[in-house]
């Protein structure tokens, strides 16, 4: 059907050694991309015989810790349309998410989070062997290896802030210094769900400064921003944060959340993807896009400028025929009128839709009428299991070029390279 977008075939496909959970191109060297893998090892008969009624709970916890491992797999995309395996780095636990820093160190350092509550930093170099090297690994929330880190996200404007979400329902914001050491910013989680916290996102708007009449107020250098999180409890949470970068240890929280998180209802299953746009409507509301296990993508407006985020208004939603696990912004274009500023906006988005494969989406909106429409331009359905990870090659989104995309699927361990 035309309304479902045109079907796309792969240029190249290969089978990985372990199931892929995430993938991202290196923005500093866009010919290279890294795949994170998640391997659930089979339990041996010996392991199964160890548990007794008295220690069954302990054994279940130990199995959760000890039976996962993974790897980071480095590839290079060739001009010929081929992909070349460069390096595999074994990892002692399963990898759930990875993201390169948006601008520090030439955009070559990535954060990696795992199934045992570890956070690692790896640096990519195109000229030094090995190309992918571990900088350091931390246990930022302590030694409980039964807690999985499910996702991570860098702040788009404040370089030292990194957020992680956990299997014990929490969202934490960490401070990462110039030596890649990690520090807690507050004693408690920034947001807590009632089930697994699958994902989070920082607002894409530039952080605000607090209003103060006192020139030497200790809060004059504070930065205010909104964070969003999605959980298996079918809730989208949002809260406003105040970051005090000049505050020293022992003086209190570096990040304060003055008001409780606001729960936005409307999703019929777990919220698994959140994509705030760098866009404000005529009402000054921002635009945030979400994905869910309920197969729908939704476009909301959110008022971030008040003391706490106001409940969103749903602008549009569409059934993508599969759980929307991840959303990646390819490009955002704003048409500017000479007299009245931006009126029309268009977002091109890559969606990883689990059992339905990948989708290329176009969302067209109006900042004055505050309406939008979701179109499916293309669909990639070569995957035979869960498509958790997809990314596009930076630079290929330029007009006149074909968009080059890598997508992966979990159980069949398939990696595909294709163009739109």
């Amino acid at each position: 059907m035309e309304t479902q977008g045109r079907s796309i075939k792969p240029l190249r496909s290969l089978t990985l050694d372990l199931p892929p959970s995430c993938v991202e191109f290196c923005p500093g060297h866009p010919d290279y991309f890294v795949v994170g893998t998640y391997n659930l090892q089979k339990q041996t008969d010996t392991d199964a015989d160890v548990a007794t009624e008295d220690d069954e709970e302990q054994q279940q916890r130990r199995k959760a810790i000890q039976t996962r491992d993974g790897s980071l797999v480095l590839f290079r995309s060739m001009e010929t349309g081929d992909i070349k395996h460069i390096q595999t780095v074994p990892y002692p636990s399963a990898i759930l998410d990875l993201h390169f820093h948006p601008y520090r160190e030439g955009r070559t350092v990535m954060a990696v989070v795992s199934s045992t509550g570890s956070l690692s930093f790896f640096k990519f170099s195109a000229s030094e062997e090995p190309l992918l090297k571990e900088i350091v690994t931390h246990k930022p929330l302590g030694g409980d290896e039964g807690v999985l880190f499910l996702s991570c996200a860098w702040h788009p404007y404040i370089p030292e802030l990194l957020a992680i979400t956990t299997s014990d329902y929490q969202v934490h914001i960490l401070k990462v210094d110039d030596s890649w050491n990690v520090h807690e910013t507050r004693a408690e989680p920034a947001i807590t769900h009632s089930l697994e916290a699958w994902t989070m996102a920082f607002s894409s708007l530039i952080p605000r400064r607090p209003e103060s009449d006192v020139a030497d107020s200790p809060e004059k250098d504070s930065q205010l921003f909104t964070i969003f999180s999605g959980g298996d409890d079918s809730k989208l949470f949002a809260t406003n944060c105040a970051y005090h970068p000049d505050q020293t240890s022992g003086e209190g929280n570096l990040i304060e959340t003055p008001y409780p998180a606001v729960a936005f209802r409307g999703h019929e299953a777990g919220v698994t993807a959140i994509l705030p746009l760098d866009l404000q409507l005529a009402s000054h509301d921002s635009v945030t896009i979400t994905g869910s296990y309920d197969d729908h993508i939704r476009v909301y407006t959110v008022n971030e400028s008040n003391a706490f985020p106001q409940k969103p208004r749903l602008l549009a939603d569409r059934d993508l025929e599969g759980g929307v696990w991840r959303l990646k912004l390819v490009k955002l274009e704003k048409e500017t009128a000479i007299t009245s500023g931006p009126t029309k906006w268009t977002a091109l988005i890559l969606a990883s839709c689990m059992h339905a494969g990948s989708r290329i989406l176009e969302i067209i909106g109006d900042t004055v009428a505050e309406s939008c429409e979701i179109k499916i331009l293309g669909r990639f359905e070569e995957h035979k299991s869960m498509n958790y990870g997809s990314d596009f090659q930076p630079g290929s989104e330029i007009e006149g070029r074909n968009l080059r995309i890598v997508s992966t699927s979990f159980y069949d361990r398939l990696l595909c390279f294709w163009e739109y």
Side-chain angles (χ1 to χ4, degrees):
M1 293 174 55
E2 185 178 348
T3 57
Q4 296 301 315
R6 66 177 175 89
S7 179
I8 302 168
K9 297 299 180 182
L11 298 175
R12 177 85 162 86
S13 299
L14 57 86
T15 302
L16 301 170
D17 293 334
L18 298 176
S21 57
C22 48
V23 59
E24 189 163 284
F25 276 89
C26 176
H29 296 275
D31 289 342
Y32 294 86
F33 63 91
V34 179
V35 178
T37 68
Y38 180 112
N39 182 44
L40 185 61
Q41 299 173 352
K42 292 182 179 179
Q43 183 185 10
T44 66
D45 292 339
T46 302
D47 292 334
D49 292 339
V50 171
T52 66
E53 288 189 10
D54 292 335
D55 64 359
E56 184 175 353
E57 182 178 344
Q58 182 179 354
Q59 288 299 325
Q60 289 294 327
R61 189 174 187 81
R62 185 175 294 123
K63 283 190 292 183
I65 296 170
Q66 293 179 342
T67 58
R68 298 182 182 97
D69 62 1
S71 61
L72 295 168
V73 191
L74 177 66
F75 290 91
R76 184 173 186 178
S77 63
M78 315 301 288
E79 287 297 328
T80 59
D82 200 3
I83 47 180
K84 181 181 179 182
H85 172 252
I86 302 296
Q87 181 186 354
T88 297
V89 181
Y91 199 83
S93 49
I95 292 170
L96 286 105
D97 202 10
L98 62 87
H99 290 290
F100 281 92
H101 196 284
Y103 39 91
R104 275 173 62 177
E105 295 204 23
R107 301 177 295 170
T108 59
V109 173
M110 66 177 175
V112 177
V113 293
S114 86
S115 61
T116 55
S118 65
L119 165 64
S120 297
F121 297 109
F122 283 80
K123 182 173 177 61
F124 172 79
S125 170
S127 58
E128 296 181 12
E129 296 283 350
L131 301 189
L132 198 60
K133 298 179 186 176
E134 180 180 353
I135 300 172
V136 66
T137 293
H138 300 283
K139 292 278 191 177
L141 301 184
D144 187 353
E145 296 192 348
V147 175
L148 286 70
F149 285 0
L150 302 178
S151 70
C152 63
W154 293 104
H155 196 291
Y157 296 104
I158 306 175
E160 66 268 28
L161 295 187
L162 172 73
I164 56 173
T165 69
T166 71
S167 61
D168 62 345
Y169 319 158
Q170 299 177 353
V171 179
H172 293 266
I173 303 176
L174 306 172
K175 181 177 181 179
V176 183
D177 65 26
D178 292 340
S179 300
W180 305 102
N181 296 311
V182 176
H183 312 273
E184 292 185 348
T185 59
R186 50 186 285 116
E188 301 293 331
I191 294 176
T192 301
H193 285 261
S194 58
L195 289 171
E196 288 88 346
W198 286 123
T199 188
M200 77 80 59
F202 292 99
S203 169
S204 290
L205 303 182
I206 297 173
R208 310 179 302 279
R209 297 289 182 178
E211 297 180 4
S212 176
D213 297 330
V214 182
D216 58 350
S217 168
E219 296 185 353
K220 66 182 178 62
D221 293 323
S222 298
Q223 295 169 284
L224 310 178
F225 56 84
T226 303
I227 62 171
F228 303 89
S229 68
D232 210 44
D233 50 11
S234 306
K235 291 180 181 176
L236 171 68
F237 277 122
T239 192
N240 284 345
C241 299
Y243 174 49
H244 312 297
D246 296 331
Q247 191 159 284
T248 58
S249 177
E251 291 184 348
N253 292 329
L254 294 179
I255 290 181
E256 294 180 315
T257 52
Y259 301 94
V262 176
F264 301 150
R265 301 183 186 276
H267 299 86
E268 297 178 8
V271 179
T272 48
I274 305 171
L275 179 61
L277 298 182
D278 181 14
L279 177 70
Q280 282 189 292
L281 307 179
S283 63
H284 300 292
D285 286 1
S286 63
V287 175
T288 294
I289 305 168
T290 68
S292 170
Y293 279 142
D294 65 13
D295 297 357
H296 281 250
I297 182 174
R298 294 175 173 85
V299 184
Y300 291 99
T301 65
V302 182
N303 187 334
E304 300 182 31
S305 60
N306 289 332
F308 54 89
Q310 300 297 300
K311 288 193 173 183
R313 182 166 64 91
L314 181 67
L315 294 186
D317 75 289
R318 181 146 188 180
D319 187 344
L320 297 186
E321 303 180 326
V324 185
W325 182 253
R326 287 291 182 265
L327 295 169
K328 178 86 176 193
L329 179 65
V330 178
K331 59 181 175 180
L332 175 64
E333 297 178 332
K334 308 169 190 177
E335 296 181 15
T336 303
I338 296 175
T339 56
S340 59
T343 57
K344 304 290 185 182
W345 59 272
T346 303
L348 188 66
I349 293 170
L350 172 63
S352 300
C353 297
M354 299 177 70
H355 66 269
S358 304
R359 298 287 187 271
I360 301 291
L361 308 173
E362 183 181 59
I363 303 179
I364 301 173
D366 188 305
T367 61
V368 177
E370 298 196 0
S371 60
C372 71
E373 178 186 7
I374 303 169
K375 295 182 178 180
I376 301 175
L377 302 182
R379 51 191 172 87
F380 185 82
E381 300 174 324
E382 295 295 309
H383 295 292
K384 305 307 177 188
S385 72
M386 299 297 190
N387 169 216
Y388 288 130
S390 308
D391 197 15
F392 72 96
Q393 184 175 18
S396 68
E397 77 280 11
I398 297 172
E399 188 173 353
R401 298 186 61 181
N402 289 336
L403 189 66
R404 309 187 87 185
I405 296 165
V406 168
S407 59
T408 62
S409 45
F410 193 78
Y411 296 107
D412 58 0
R413 311 192 312 277
L414 193 64
L415 171 69
C416 295
F417 188 51
W418 46 283
E419 291 184 344
Y420 172 78

